[in-house]
Amino acid sequence: MSVILAALTSDPNLLRCELHRLQGQVLLQAGPKANALGVGAYAQEEVLLRRFSSGEALTLDSLAPPHESEALLFHAGQLPLGLSLEENTQPFRSRRWLFAHQGGVRGFELLRAPLLESLPDHLRRQVRGGTEGELLFAVFLKRLRELGRTEDPRLEAEVAGRVLADTAREVARAAVQAGVARTPTLNLVATNGTLLAATRYGEQPLYCTRLEGSAECELCEVTPETPDRQPSVGAHRRCRTVVVASALKRTSGWVELAHGHTLSVGPELQLHELSDS
């Protein structure tokens, strides 16, 4: 089973600290050992991807980028033999966008050709690997392009959330039209560094939580007794972070997204939930 972890924070200098706060709460691998592990983050105008080897000791601290970043997206999964790790390891990237998919579509080989056919030429050429996730990402980008919002820095989080939900629905409809009886599992997460959207479509759970400011940080050696005059004290108390995760060690303090629901989070870190109904 694959794993997704995503975060959007109000203070890019403290993303590392916020990930550390999740110790004991989230799992970075679940089930069989993953062989395709990747994380994406932002460094000003750059979008940086890192890949991890399957034998590497992976911790929340090791996911943190060595630079400030407002957002992070991590995925760990098991690729079948014969698929290139370089081309198929999530998250996938296109310009400012990072995207990850968790789950599966039974009979996806029946959907691949019609979904590819629905894409404009430049997006079709971007699909180089053999995974479902990369093609789902292209469908998401197609829908953003139809709105003329692919590169819009003012894109509203709610709009991105609706596009992500529409992507899941489009693939689900294609599955029905192809005669696939089982409902696909389409947990999708996307970020452009300033907003975060996540949708759950299917039985596989997806959770979210909001971390409020903290009076202590082990990494920065901030404790409740640290004098207020130290800048790091106020920074940690003001920091807020929204986290989306698919695999938890404990669910206390987390909210599970219902099937057909989409979460969108903008720069102000307000949570908006959209339902299919």
Side-chain angles (χ1 to χ4, degrees):
M1 183 176 70
S2 60
V3 170
I4 285 178
L5 174 67
L8 183 69
T9 185
S10 64
D11 190 335
N13 290 299
L14 299 184
L15 179 59
R16 176 171 168 262
C17 305
E18 296 293 86
L19 290 173
H20 189 76
R21 289 176 66 183
L22 298 173
Q23 301 277 5
Q25 297 187 52
V26 301
L27 290 167
L28 298 182
Q29 295 193 50
K33 193 169 185 179
N35 62 356
L37 306 96
V39 64
Y42 295 81
Q44 297 181 351
E45 297 305 314
E46 297 293 323
V47 184
L48 304 179
L49 292 175
R50 285 186 292 151
R51 309 300 190 204
F52 302 94
S53 67
S54 57
E56 193 169 343
L58 203 59
T59 66
L60 285 160
D61 290 341
S62 66
L63 293 189
H67 44 74
E68 63 179 39
S69 179
E70 296 88 346
L72 175 141
L73 179 54
F74 167 78
H75 183 276
Q78 182 74 31
L79 287 178
L81 290 175
L83 285 185
S84 163
L85 292 175
E86 184 65 28
E87 291 183 340
N88 295 286
T89 298
Q90 301 187 59
F92 298 110
R93 174 206 168 189
S94 178
R95 297 185 182 272
R96 292 284 297 176
W97 285 101
L98 291 170
F99 180 96
H101 162 237
Q102 180 201 30
V105 183
R106 181 168 292 183
F108 187 75
E109 62 279 359
L110 302 175
L111 314 184
R112 185 175 179 85
L115 288 176
L116 278 170
E117 186 63 28
S118 73
L119 300 175
D121 289 343
H122 77 283
L123 287 176
R124 193 179 304 129
R125 288 193 296 269
Q126 287 184 24
V127 181
R128 299 187 179 93
T131 64
E132 302 160 8
E134 188 179 23
L135 185 47
L136 297 177
F137 186 24
V139 174
F140 171 74
L141 293 173
K142 176 195 71 172
R143 287 184 163 271
L144 278 178
R145 181 178 181 269
E146 291 170 348
L147 297 177
R149 309 295 300 274
T150 309
E151 300 299 322
D152 187 351
R154 298 181 299 276
L155 177 66
E156 302 87 351
E158 296 93 329
V159 173
R162 285 197 298 271
V163 172
L164 197 66
D166 288 343
T167 299
R169 285 193 288 267
E170 178 176 343
V171 175
R173 284 195 301 269
V176 172
Q177 291 168 1
V180 177
R182 186 171 178 177
T183 301
T185 300
L186 300 167
N187 287 349
L188 311 178
V189 180
T191 179
N192 65 358
T194 58
L195 61 83
L196 175 67
T199 191
R200 174 185 174 181
Y201 195 98
E203 298 180 354
Q204 203 155 324
L206 197 61
Y207 305 89
C208 70
T209 192
R210 177 172 158 137
L211 303 177
E212 300 294 344
S214 175
E216 53 188 307
C217 174
E218 182 182 9
L219 296 180
C220 298
E221 299 182 347
V222 172
T223 71
E225 290 73 39
T226 303
D228 290 348
R229 64 179 177 271
Q230 292 196 17
S232 59
V233 173
H236 282 83
R237 288 177 178 171
R238 291 188 298 269
C239 187
R240 295 166 295 127
T241 302
V242 174
V243 184
V244 172
S246 63
L248 301 179
K249 296 179 181 179
R250 58 179 179 83
T251 58
S252 176
W254 293 77
V255 175
E256 182 176 352
L257 283 180
H259 163 67
H261 283 231
T262 298
L263 176 74
S264 57
V265 188
E268 300 302 317
L269 296 188
Q270 294 300 314
L271 280 67
H272 303 275
E273 193 167 344
L274 171 70
S275 170
D276 272 351
S277 57

